[in-house]
Amino acid sequence: MSKQRIAVAVDGPAGAGKSSISKVVAKKLGYLYIDTGAMYRAVTWAVLQKGITPTDEAAVTALLPTLTLRLEPTDEAFTVFVNGDDVTEAIRSQAVNQAVSQIASIKAVRQFLVAQQRAMATSGGVILDGRDIGSVVLPKAELKIYLTASVDARAKRRWLETKDKETISLEDIKASVMARDEMDTNRKESPLVCVPEAIVVNSDNLTFDETVERMIQLITDAEK
Ligand code: DC
């Protein structure tokens, strides 16, 4: 009998490798991968593009009903659309990096996106990554993984991924990773938490491929 494909929640701090790892794991297992951080980034992009101040919660909230987000899977990952505009690259800009934690702390934004995330996850055979997947979005997920690494390792990885290394130093990236940790962990709405039932994977001493293997093992063990 074939195994039951499950819902997998992957949470953890910025730069732990959640999305790059989850993407590969999902592809290998034929699961659907949903990067919920990309959805918060897409809303942030729209806020900035409209010239709205990210701390203006009323204006951000009023913008939400005008936004249609779409994640379209591709061979490599997925394309992100906001009202039909391809924002896949734009949501990784430093301007979005700096404003996204503020936008993600707004209750109306979270309600707007969590409803869409739950709707996308109904079919099973999904990996969602974010900060509140195991705690809020999919509290009944069959498997919860908390993927983490030290601040130094995470900053180094983000820096290596940054296209424009000349204009941003490793120190600046580290400061921004720490600032995001602080906001994501201490915010009132759905803070980043490691729920007790989550399996912690620390990737400090694991290579990319080893982390992928570990996650595949956890998922195949959890499939009934
Ligand atoms: O994973 P990421 O760095 O792309 O996430 C961008 C921001 O979105 C991050 O600062 C925290 C927020 N986020 C969140 O609050 N809840 C999620 N489920 C996913 C991301």
Side-chain angles (χ1 to χ4, degrees):
M1 216 178 75
S2 72
K3 285 182 154 191
Q4 184 78 44
R5 289 147 58 86
I6 59 170
V8 183
V10 180
D11 291 298
K18 293 184 304 294
S19 42
S20 43
I21 305 259
S22 302
K23 198 160 43 190
V24 174
V25 170
K27 194 169 180 189
K28 289 199 175 191
L29 294 176
Y31 272 47
L32 174 67
Y33 165 59
I34 299 167
D35 175 353
T36 64
M39 299 171 79
Y40 288 92
R41 288 170 177 276
V43 171
T44 305
W45 174 86
V47 166
L48 297 177
Q49 204 234 2
K50 288 276 174 207
I52 297 169
T53 309
T55 49
D56 184 347
E57 296 199 7
V60 171
T61 303
L63 179 69
L64 297 174
T66 71
L67 300 179
T68 303
L69 306 189
R70 199 155 49 86
L71 297 188
E72 202 173 273
T74 63
D75 251 9
E76 283 316 305
F78 51 82
T79 311
V80 184
F81 294 95
V82 176
N83 294 344
D85 285 337
D86 180 347
V87 297
T88 315
E89 290 265 321
I91 62 170
R92 306 289 161 192
S93 70
Q94 197 55 14
V96 169
N97 282 345
Q98 270 159 9
V100 65
S101 286
Q102 163 57 33
I103 297 300
S105 71
I106 300 173
K107 189 173 183 177
V109 171
R110 303 204 70 85
Q111 286 172 338
F112 175 73
L113 293 180
V114 167
Q116 297 183 33
Q117 290 156 11
R118 286 189 181 138
M120 290 192 271
T122 47
S123 57
V126 288
I127 301 178
L128 269 74
D129 94 47
R131 305 294 188 286
D132 60 340
I133 309 302
S135 56
V136 175
V137 181
L138 302 178
K140 296 204 174 114
E142 287 91 344
L143 175 65
K144 299 178 184 179
I145 296 173
Y146 190 83
L147 183 61
T148 189
S150 66
V151 172
D152 282 322
R154 291 186 284 124
K156 178 103 185 278
R157 278 186 212 139
R158 273 279 144 111
W159 184 72
L160 289 172
E161 278 166 19
T162 308
K163 293 203 176 72
D164 199 359
K165 295 192 190 57
E166 281 96 61
T167 55
I168 184 138
S169 69
L170 179 57
E171 276 311 304
D172 285 350
I173 298 248
K174 187 173 168 188
S176 121
V177 166
M178 287 169 78
R180 281 217 281 147
D181 282 1
E182 171 74 17
M183 275 197 88
D184 294 346
T185 316
N186 295 314
R187 69 174 176 228
K188 202 164 119 250
E189 295 301 328
S190 313
L192 168 65
V193 283
C194 177
V195 293
E197 65 274 26
I199 296 172
V200 178
V201 176
N202 184 315
S203 66
D204 270 358
N205 297 312
L206 297 176
T207 64
F208 183 91
D209 289 345
E210 286 167 347
T211 315
V212 167
E213 280 315 311
R214 172 101 179 94
M215 290 206 11
I216 288 179
Q217 188 66 54
L218 290 172
I219 295 171
T220 43
D221 285 352
E223 290 173 332
K224 288 174 210 100

mmCIF file of all heavy atoms in Angstrom, residues 60-92:
data_model
loop_
_atom_site.group_PDB
_atom_site.id
_atom_site.type_symbol
_atom_site.label_atom_id
_atom_site.label_comp_id
_atom_site.label_asym_id
_atom_site.label_seq_id
_atom_site.Cartn_x
_atom_site.Cartn_y
_atom_site.Cartn_z
ATOM 1 N N VAL A 60 -1.913 49.949 5.476
ATOM 2 C CA VAL A 60 -1.513 48.600 5.042
ATOM 3 C C VAL A 60 -2.755 47.699 5.007
ATOM 4 O O VAL A 60 -2.985 46.965 4.044
ATOM 5 C CB VAL A 60 -0.430 48.006 5.985
ATOM 6 C CG1 VAL A 60 -0.172 46.540 5.663
ATOM 7 C CG2 VAL A 60 0.863 48.812 5.903
ATOM 8 N N THR A 61 -3.579 47.791 6.048
ATOM 9 C CA THR A 61 -4.783 46.957 6.136
ATOM 10 C C THR A 61 -5.744 47.271 4.984
ATOM 11 O O THR A 61 -6.328 46.360 4.385
ATOM 12 C CB THR A 61 -5.473 47.179 7.506
ATOM 13 O OG1 THR A 61 -4.514 46.884 8.527
ATOM 14 C CG2 THR A 61 -6.685 46.279 7.686
ATOM 15 N N ALA A 62 -5.864 48.548 4.656
ATOM 16 C CA ALA A 62 -6.771 48.946 3.567
ATOM 17 C C ALA A 62 -6.281 48.439 2.211
ATOM 18 O O ALA A 62 -7.077 48.217 1.294
ATOM 19 C CB ALA A 62 -6.910 50.469 3.543
ATOM 20 N N LEU A 63 -4.978 48.235 2.105
ATOM 21 C CA LEU A 63 -4.419 47.762 0.823
ATOM 22 C C LEU A 63 -4.744 46.275 0.564
ATOM 23 O O LEU A 63 -4.896 45.851 -0.589
ATOM 24 C CB LEU A 63 -2.886 47.959 0.847
ATOM 25 C CG LEU A 63 -2.097 47.519 -0.385
ATOM 26 C CD1 LEU A 63 -2.399 48.440 -1.568
ATOM 27 C CD2 LEU A 63 -0.587 47.503 -0.099
ATOM 28 N N LEU A 64 -4.869 45.498 1.654
ATOM 29 C CA LEU A 64 -4.964 44.034 1.511
ATOM 30 C C LEU A 64 -6.052 43.542 0.544
ATOM 31 O O LEU A 64 -5.766 42.697 -0.308
ATOM 32 C CB LEU A 64 -5.136 43.371 2.892
ATOM 33 C CG LEU A 64 -3.955 43.584 3.859
ATOM 34 C CD1 LEU A 64 -4.290 43.018 5.236
ATOM 35 C CD2 LEU A 64 -2.688 42.944 3.309
ATOM 36 N N PRO A 65 -7.292 44.070 0.652
ATOM 37 C CA PRO A 65 -8.330 43.527 -0.251
ATOM 38 C C PRO A 65 -8.059 43.801 -1.731
ATOM 39 O O PRO A 65 -8.690 43.187 -2.590
ATOM 40 C CB PRO A 65 -9.616 44.257 0.194
ATOM 41 C CG PRO A 65 -9.282 44.991 1.423
ATOM 42 C CD PRO A 65 -7.813 45.078 1.580
ATOM 43 N N THR A 66 -7.105 44.683 -2.019
ATOM 44 C CA THR A 66 -6.809 44.984 -3.429
ATOM 45 C C THR A 66 -5.722 44.058 -3.987
ATOM 46 O O THR A 66 -5.353 44.160 -5.151
ATOM 47 C CB THR A 66 -6.329 46.443 -3.598
ATOM 48 O OG1 THR A 66 -4.994 46.561 -3.041
ATOM 49 C CG2 THR A 66 -7.248 47.443 -2.901
ATOM 50 N N LEU A 67 -5.184 43.171 -3.118
ATOM 51 C CA LEU A 67 -4.047 42.346 -3.539
ATOM 52 C C LEU A 67 -4.454 40.910 -3.865
ATOM 53 O O LEU A 67 -5.120 40.252 -3.075
ATOM 54 C CB LEU A 67 -2.980 42.292 -2.429
ATOM 55 C CG LEU A 67 -2.373 43.624 -1.991
ATOM 56 C CD1 LEU A 67 -1.350 43.387 -0.881
ATOM 57 C CD2 LEU A 67 -1.737 44.356 -3.160
ATOM 58 N N THR A 68 -4.028 40.444 -5.021
ATOM 59 C CA THR A 68 -4.170 39.023 -5.357
ATOM 60 C C THR A 68 -2.770 38.445 -5.479
ATOM 61 O O THR A 68 -1.987 38.863 -6.329
ATOM 62 C CB THR A 68 -4.934 38.846 -6.691
ATOM 63 O OG1 THR A 68 -6.191 39.498 -6.568
ATOM 64 C CG2 THR A 68 -5.161 37.376 -7.002
ATOM 65 N N LEU A 69 -2.451 37.499 -4.586
ATOM 66 C CA LEU A 69 -1.123 36.865 -4.610
ATOM 67 C C LEU A 69 -1.241 35.513 -5.285
ATOM 68 O O LEU A 69 -2.221 34.802 -5.096
ATOM 69 C CB LEU A 69 -0.598 36.621 -3.189
ATOM 70 C CG LEU A 69 -0.533 37.776 -2.211
ATOM 71 C CD1 LEU A 69 0.225 37.349 -0.963
ATOM 72 C CD2 LEU A 69 0.137 38.978 -2.831
ATOM 73 N N ARG A 70 -0.204 35.168 -6.022
ATOM 74 C CA ARG A 70 -0.190 33.837 -6.651
ATOM 75 C C ARG A 70 1.231 33.286 -6.609
ATOM 76 O O ARG A 70 2.188 33.995 -6.932
ATOM 77 C CB ARG A 70 -0.673 33.979 -8.092
ATOM 78 C CG ARG A 70 -1.149 32.694 -8.724
ATOM 79 C CD ARG A 70 -2.142 32.979 -9.855
ATOM 80 N NE ARG A 70 -1.670 33.992 -10.791
ATOM 81 C CZ ARG A 70 -0.897 33.750 -11.842
ATOM 82 N NH1 ARG A 70 -0.504 32.525 -12.111
ATOM 83 N NH2 ARG A 70 -0.515 34.722 -12.640
ATOM 84 N N LEU A 71 1.380 32.037 -6.143
ATOM 85 C CA LEU A 71 2.683 31.353 -6.191
ATOM 86 C C LEU A 71 2.539 30.280 -7.262
ATOM 87 O O LEU A 71 1.744 29.360 -7.109
ATOM 88 C CB LEU A 71 3.013 30.670 -4.857
ATOM 89 C CG LEU A 71 3.186 31.524 -3.603
ATOM 90 C CD1 LEU A 71 3.692 30.668 -2.446
ATOM 91 C CD2 LEU A 71 4.138 32.672 -3.832
ATOM 92 N N GLU A 72 3.307 30.434 -8.318
ATOM 93 C CA GLU A 72 3.185 29.468 -9.417
ATOM 94 C C GLU A 72 4.419 28.577 -9.446
ATOM 95 O O GLU A 72 5.523 29.077 -9.693
ATOM 96 C CB GLU A 72 3.074 30.245 -10.725
ATOM 97 C CG GLU A 72 2.439 29.477 -11.847
ATOM 98 C CD GLU A 72 2.226 30.407 -13.034
ATOM 99 O OE1 GLU A 72 1.173 31.069 -13.082
ATOM 100 O OE2 GLU A 72 3.128 30.474 -13.884
ATOM 101 N N PRO A 73 4.261 27.277 -9.160
ATOM 102 C CA PRO A 73 5.436 26.399 -9.126
ATOM 103 C C PRO A 73 6.144 26.353 -10.482
ATOM 104 O O PRO A 73 5.492 26.332 -11.525
ATOM 105 C CB PRO A 73 4.854 25.030 -8.781
ATOM 106 C CG PRO A 73 3.495 25.291 -8.245
ATOM 107 C CD PRO A 73 3.022 26.573 -8.862
ATOM 108 N N THR A 74 7.477 26.385 -10.439
ATOM 109 C CA THR A 74 8.283 26.209 -11.647
ATOM 110 C C THR A 74 9.202 25.014 -11.388
ATOM 111 O O THR A 74 9.175 24.456 -10.294
ATOM 112 C CB THR A 74 9.172 27.439 -11.920
ATOM 113 O OG1 THR A 74 10.091 27.570 -10.825
ATOM 114 C CG2 THR A 74 8.359 28.708 -12.052
ATOM 115 N N ASP A 75 10.039 24.669 -12.361
ATOM 116 C CA ASP A 75 10.971 23.558 -12.166
ATOM 117 C C ASP A 75 11.914 23.823 -11.007
ATOM 118 O O ASP A 75 12.195 22.951 -10.193
ATOM 119 C CB ASP A 75 11.794 23.369 -13.443
ATOM 120 C CG ASP A 75 11.370 22.099 -14.140
ATOM 121 O OD1 ASP A 75 10.359 21.523 -13.693
ATOM 122 O OD2 ASP A 75 12.044 21.704 -15.109
ATOM 123 N N GLU A 76 12.408 25.034 -10.942
ATOM 124 C CA GLU A 76 13.417 25.387 -9.941
ATOM 125 C C GLU A 76 12.804 25.719 -8.589
ATOM 126 O O GLU A 76 13.293 25.312 -7.561
ATOM 127 C CB GLU A 76 14.242 26.579 -10.435
ATOM 128 C CG GLU A 76 15.269 26.191 -11.474
ATOM 129 C CD GLU A 76 16.020 24.914 -11.089
ATOM 130 O OE1 GLU A 76 16.590 24.888 -9.986
ATOM 131 O OE2 GLU A 76 16.017 23.956 -11.879
ATOM 132 N N ALA A 77 11.713 26.505 -8.601
ATOM 133 C CA ALA A 77 11.090 26.922 -7.345
ATOM 134 C C ALA A 77 9.671 27.381 -7.645
ATOM 135 O O ALA A 77 8.793 26.562 -7.890
ATOM 136 C CB ALA A 77 11.889 28.030 -6.697
ATOM 137 N N PHE A 78 9.448 28.675 -7.664
ATOM 138 C CA PHE A 78 8.132 29.199 -8.040
ATOM 139 C C PHE A 78 8.269 30.669 -8.377
ATOM 140 O O PHE A 78 9.229 31.327 -7.980
ATOM 141 C CB PHE A 78 7.111 28.997 -6.912
ATOM 142 C CG PHE A 78 7.601 29.490 -5.606
ATOM 143 C CD1 PHE A 78 7.527 30.829 -5.275
ATOM 144 C CD2 PHE A 78 8.211 28.626 -4.710
ATOM 145 C CE1 PHE A 78 8.032 31.298 -4.088
ATOM 146 C CE2 PHE A 78 8.725 29.094 -3.515
ATOM 147 C CZ PHE A 78 8.631 30.435 -3.209
ATOM 148 N N THR A 79 7.290 31.135 -9.121
ATOM 149 C CA THR A 79 7.221 32.547 -9.469
ATOM 150 C C THR A 79 6.153 33.182 -8.587
ATOM 151 O O THR A 79 5.111 32.573 -8.344
ATOM 152 C CB THR A 79 6.843 32.697 -10.961
ATOM 153 O OG1 THR A 79 7.695 31.840 -11.715
ATOM 154 C CG2 THR A 79 7.009 34.114 -11.443
ATOM 155 N N VAL A 80 6.443 34.382 -8.078
ATOM 156 C CA VAL A 80 5.502 35.071 -7.203
ATOM 157 C C VAL A 80 4.864 36.225 -7.972
ATOM 158 O O VAL A 80 5.588 37.057 -8.546
ATOM 159 C CB VAL A 80 6.219 35.636 -5.953
ATOM 160 C CG1 VAL A 80 5.218 36.266 -4.987
ATOM 161 C CG2 VAL A 80 7.042 34.562 -5.259
ATOM 162 N N PHE A 81 3.545 36.263 -7.987
ATOM 163 C CA PHE A 81 2.837 37.347 -8.660
ATOM 164 C C PHE A 81 2.010 38.149 -7.654
ATOM 165 O O PHE A 81 1.380 37.572 -6.764
ATOM 166 C CB PHE A 81 1.860 36.800 -9.706
ATOM 167 C CG PHE A 81 2.532 36.108 -10.860
ATOM 168 C CD1 PHE A 81 2.700 34.726 -10.866
ATOM 169 C CD2 PHE A 81 2.992 36.844 -11.948
ATOM 170 C CE1 PHE A 81 3.312 34.079 -11.937
ATOM 171 C CE2 PHE A 81 3.609 36.205 -13.021
ATOM 172 C CZ PHE A 81 3.774 34.822 -13.018
ATOM 173 N N VAL A 82 2.033 39.464 -7.812
ATOM 174 C CA VAL A 82 1.115 40.333 -7.069
ATOM 175 C C VAL A 82 0.292 41.068 -8.119
ATOM 176 O O VAL A 82 0.856 41.794 -8.948
ATOM 177 C CB VAL A 82 1.872 41.362 -6.199
ATOM 178 C CG1 VAL A 82 0.884 42.313 -5.525
ATOM 179 C CG2 VAL A 82 2.729 40.667 -5.148
ATOM 180 N N ASN A 83 -0.999 40.845 -8.100
ATOM 181 C CA ASN A 83 -1.898 41.433 -9.111
ATOM 182 C C ASN A 83 -1.328 41.261 -10.527
ATOM 183 O O ASN A 83 -1.327 42.198 -11.333
ATOM 184 C CB ASN A 83 -2.153 42.917 -8.818
ATOM 185 C CG ASN A 83 -2.925 43.100 -7.520
ATOM 186 O OD1 ASN A 83 -3.506 42.155 -6.997
ATOM 187 N ND2 ASN A 83 -2.929 44.306 -6.991
ATOM 188 N N GLY A 84 -0.808 40.082 -10.790
ATOM 189 C CA GLY A 84 -0.322 39.779 -12.139
ATOM 190 C C GLY A 84 1.116 40.210 -12.416
ATOM 191 O O GLY A 84 1.697 39.805 -13.412
ATOM 192 N N ASP A 85 1.724 41.029 -11.534
ATOM 193 C CA ASP A 85 3.129 41.431 -11.739
ATOM 194 C C ASP A 85 4.061 40.375 -11.159
ATOM 195 O O ASP A 85 3.884 39.957 -10.008
ATOM 196 C CB ASP A 85 3.445 42.749 -10.996
ATOM 197 C CG ASP A 85 2.856 43.950 -11.703
ATOM 198 O OD1 ASP A 85 2.607 43.858 -12.917
ATOM 199 O OD2 ASP A 85 2.633 44.976 -11.022
ATOM 200 N N ASP A 86 5.067 39.994 -11.925
ATOM 201 C CA ASP A 86 6.071 39.040 -11.430
ATOM 202 C C ASP A 86 7.030 39.780 -10.483
ATOM 203 O O ASP A 86 7.786 40.647 -10.913
ATOM 204 C CB ASP A 86 6.830 38.458 -12.631
ATOM 205 C CG ASP A 86 7.904 37.450 -12.209
ATOM 206 O OD1 ASP A 86 8.223 37.385 -11.008
ATOM 207 O OD2 ASP A 86 8.417 36.749 -13.095
ATOM 208 N N VAL A 87 6.980 39.444 -9.187
ATOM 209 C CA VAL A 87 7.797 40.149 -8.189
ATOM 210 C C VAL A 87 8.847 39.206 -7.574
ATOM 211 O O VAL A 87 9.426 39.515 -6.529
ATOM 212 C CB VAL A 87 6.914 40.768 -7.072
ATOM 213 C CG1 VAL A 87 5.974 41.814 -7.647
ATOM 214 C CG2 VAL A 87 6.111 39.694 -6.326
ATOM 215 N N THR A 88 9.094 38.079 -8.230
ATOM 216 C CA THR A 88 9.984 37.041 -7.680
ATOM 217 C C THR A 88 11.343 37.602 -7.252
ATOM 218 O O THR A 88 11.849 37.263 -6.185
ATOM 219 C CB THR A 88 10.191 35.930 -8.733
ATOM 220 O OG1 THR A 88 8.934 35.618 -9.308
ATOM 221 C CG2 THR A 88 10.796 34.675 -8.116
ATOM 222 N N GLU A 89 11.917 38.462 -8.094
ATOM 223 C CA GLU A 89 13.230 39.041 -7.776
ATOM 224 C C GLU A 89 13.071 40.188 -6.789
ATOM 225 O O GLU A 89 13.829 40.303 -5.826
ATOM 226 C CB GLU A 89 13.866 39.605 -9.063
ATOM 227 C CG GLU A 89 14.300 38.563 -10.059
ATOM 228 C CD GLU A 89 15.765 38.220 -9.876
ATOM 229 O OE1 GLU A 89 16.553 39.142 -9.608
ATOM 230 O OE2 GLU A 89 16.106 37.029 -9.970
ATOM 231 N N ALA A 90 12.085 41.027 -7.047
ATOM 232 C CA ALA A 90 11.922 42.269 -6.271
ATOM 233 C C ALA A 90 11.690 42.004 -4.788
ATOM 234 O O ALA A 90 12.116 42.797 -3.942
ATOM 235 C CB ALA A 90 10.776 43.090 -6.851
ATOM 236 N N ILE A 91 11.067 40.871 -4.448
ATOM 237 C CA ILE A 91 10.777 40.614 -3.030
ATOM 238 C C ILE A 91 12.031 40.233 -2.245
ATOM 239 O O ILE A 91 11.982 40.103 -1.037
ATOM 240 C CB ILE A 91 9.675 39.538 -2.826
ATOM 241 C CG1 ILE A 91 10.108 38.181 -3.398
ATOM 242 C CG2 ILE A 91 8.352 40.007 -3.405
ATOM 243 C CD1 ILE A 91 9.165 37.035 -3.014
ATOM 244 N N ARG A 92 13.163 40.038 -2.938
ATOM 245 C CA ARG A 92 14.423 39.712 -2.238
ATOM 246 C C ARG A 92 15.293 40.949 -2.044
ATOM 247 O O ARG A 92 16.458 40.825 -1.639
ATOM 248 C CB ARG A 92 15.226 38.653 -3.021
ATOM 249 C CG ARG A 92 14.436 37.384 -3.332
ATOM 250 C CD ARG A 92 14.186 36.535 -2.110
ATOM 251 N NE ARG A 92 13.085 35.611 -2.348
ATOM 252 C CZ ARG A 92 12.495 34.899 -1.390
ATOM 253 N NH1 ARG A 92 12.896 35.000 -0.142
ATOM 254 N NH2 ARG A 92 11.490 34.110 -1.678
#
